Amino acid sequence: MKIHHVVESQQFSLPLLQELFESTQRMEKVVARGGTKDYSGKIMASLFYEPSTRTRFSFEAAMIRLGGTCISTENAREFSSIAKGETLEDSIRVINGYADVIVMRHNEVGAAKRAAAISQIPVINAGDGMGQHPTQALLDLYTIQKELGNIDGLKIAMVGDLAQGRTVRSLAYLLSKFDRVKVYFVAPEALKMKEDILQHLEEHNVWYAEETDLAKVASEVDVVYQTRIQKERFGDRIEDYEKSKGVYIIDTTVLSLMKPRSIVMHPLPRVGEITTDVDSDQRAAYFRQAQNGLFVRMALLSMVLG
Ligand code: CP
C-alpha cells in the first residue's frame, strides 16, 4: 500500500496499519542484525522547530539503521534561515533539492499540512503544535498490540493534558478504527479533551467517558496512558498550569489498583507524573514504548521511501 506524506492519524486505514505493523516486526529483526544497507544513498532531513529527544533521535537512528543518512537542524527557529525571515514554504522547497524525505516538528498547528502541500518529497509530521503527532500514535498503538495482544475490546484511560496534548488526539483517531474500544478521558477541568475529538468518537460509535477520579478508572482499564502537563503550552495562564500540575500522579498506590495484566504508557518526557518507583514494575511500558518508536519509524520510512 502506498502512502506519501504522513500528516495525520486519520490517513491510516486498518489494512495500512496491519501492513505497517508487519513491517515493524521485520524491522525489529533488522535492528537485531545491526541494520541494513537497503536505503543507502537516501537522505532524511530532520527539521525541528520545537525541542525533541525521542522523535528526532529515533527517526535519525531509524534512517541510519536502514542504511541512509541524515541532515538535521535541531533548533530550527534559531538555527535555520527561518530566523532570518524565510517562510516555511521556501525552506521546504529548498530542502526538496537536498533530501528524499523530510521529518518536521513545528510549533504551529497545520504546519505539516502546509509543508506537504508544496513538497514533492514525503513530509512526515513529527508533531505540529497542539495539532497531531501521528507517528507517536502509531508507535503507541504498536506498543499496545505488542504488550496486550490486541486492540479490539480494550479499555484505555488517557490522563493529564488532553486539551493541549497532540499525542492523545492522534491516538484517539487511531483507536476509533477498532471495535468495542472504551476510552476514559481523565483530565483537570481546564485541560479536558476537545470537542472535535469527542465528536469524532461519537461519529464512529466509540464509547467514551469523561472522568475525574483516576483511582476509579485505574482499576477498570487495560491501559493507563499518562501525559505531562505541558507548561510551555500555557503562555501567561500560569494559574491554570499551577492548578493542573500534580493532580494526577501514577505512583505505586495507583499501580496497586491496576489489573495484573495492564500497562502504564507515557509518550515521555515525564516531569513527575509517574514516580520513578513505578519503573521497575513489569506494567511500566513507557521505555519499551519509546524503543518501539525506532522500529515503527523504520517501517514508516521504508513505506514512504518505497
Ligand atoms: N514523545 C515525544 O514526542 O518525545 P520528544 O518530544 O522527546 O520527541
Side-chain angles (χ1 to χ4, degrees), residues 216-286:
K216 181 176 147 208
V217 169
S219 60
E220 290 278 320
V221 298
D222 305 290
V223 179
V224 171
Y225 189 101
Q226 174 69 305
T227 64
R228 178 174 63 93
I229 306 297
Q230 302 171 92
K231 191 176 185 183
E232 69 275 21
R233 302 271 184 234
F234 283 81
D236 55 8
R237 294 182 295 124
I238 301 298
E239 209 173 295
D240 277 346
Y241 171 70
E242 292 298 337
K243 267 196 285 190
S244 303
K245 78 166 179 178
V247 173
Y248 300 113
I249 293 179
I250 313 288
D251 56 14
T252 51
T253 307
V254 174
L255 205 58
S256 71
L257 302 171
M258 290 179 62
K259 297 193 270 192
R261 195 165 181 275
S262 61
I263 52 172
V264 179
M265 297 176 68
H266 193 309
L268 303 177
R270 66 171 162 187
V271 286
E273 62 278 356
I274 301 177
T275 57
T276 53
D277 52 3
V278 172
D279 297 356
S280 57
D281 192 288
Q282 181 56 25
R283 290 169 290 181
Y286 30 93

Side-chain angles (χ1 to χ4, degrees), residues 48 51-56 105 133 136 166-167 267-269:
F48 277 62
S52 170
T53 296
R54 276 144 294 275
T55 311
R56 190 167 72 88
R105 170 168 290 183
H133 194 349
Q136 176 70 45
R166 56 195 173 201
T167 69
L268 303 177

